[in-house]
């Protein structure tokens, strides 16, 4: 019986360490930072004054924004244009932050974007 307790205790510790490791390794998104990056690096083209389609968070649903940021989505194909226009090379973390902002304020979200958002 004593060995069973010991094994259960060790298993519990191992599971706890794995959960902690995954929590630390998971990317942390910052929608506030994403809003700043969106306005600075995306709205440069998507503000309605260029040939690029005007876009704001409410232009798409949460699912549509999710698809746009997939590896083969629209966003990836426009990264070089954004870099040429702004001189800034958006990192993977920047894109996660922008995506979090857009999804948080998408047309079907709990907090859809309004004027000035």
């Amino acid at each position: 019986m004593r060995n069973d307790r010991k094994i259960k205790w060790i298993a519990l510790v191992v599971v706890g360490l794995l959960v902690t490791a995954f929590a630390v390794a998971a990317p942390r998104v910052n929608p506030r930072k994403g809003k700043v990056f969106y306005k600075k690096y995306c709205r440069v083209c998507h503000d309605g004054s260029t040939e690029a389609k005007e876009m704001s968070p409410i232009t798409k649903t949460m699912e549509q924004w999710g698809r746009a940021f997939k590896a083969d989505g629209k966003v990836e194909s426009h990264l070089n244009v954004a870099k040429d226009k702004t001189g800034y090379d958006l990192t993977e973390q920047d894109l996660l932050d922008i995506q979090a902002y857009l999804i948080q304020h998408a047309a079907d979200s709990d907090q859809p974007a309004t004027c000035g958002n």
Side-chain angles (χ1 to χ4, degrees):
M1 280 304 225
R2 193 162 188 196
N3 280 341
D4 287 343
R5 274 193 211 163
K6 200 176 205 179
I7 290 171
K8 287 180 183 178
W9 188 83
I10 290 172
L12 183 64
V13 169
V14 169
V15 169
L17 289 172
L18 287 172
V19 168
T20 303
F22 282 117
V24 170
R28 300 178 194 269
V29 295
N30 185 338
R32 286 185 175 181
K33 191 175 174 184
K35 180 179 181 178
V36 171
F37 282 127
Y38 171 77
K39 287 185 173 189
K40 195 170 183 178
Y41 302 114
C42 302
R43 287 292 292 178
V44 171
C45 294
H46 294 287
D47 66 352
S49 66
T50 67
E51 62 190 47
K53 184 177 179 183
E54 183 174 4
M55 292 218 174
S56 70
I58 61 170
T59 306
K60 297 182 182 293
T61 64
M62 294 186 294
E63 182 185 340
Q64 289 170 324
W65 281 122
R67 283 195 313 253
F69 278 82
K70 287 192 184 245
D72 59 346
K74 295 267 187 192
V75 173
E76 187 175 279
S77 67
H78 290 81
L79 290 179
N80 288 334
V81 174
K83 183 179 180 181
D84 291 344
K85 187 106 175 172
T86 65
Y88 184 77
D89 196 9
L90 290 163
T91 66
E92 190 172 324
Q93 183 63 51
D94 298 337
L95 293 174
L96 289 172
D97 293 340
I98 292 168
Q99 181 184 27
Y101 162 68
L102 294 170
I103 288 173
Q104 189 177 70
H105 297 288
D108 62 342
S109 71
D110 291 337
Q111 305 169 15
T114 58
C115 292
N117 205 8

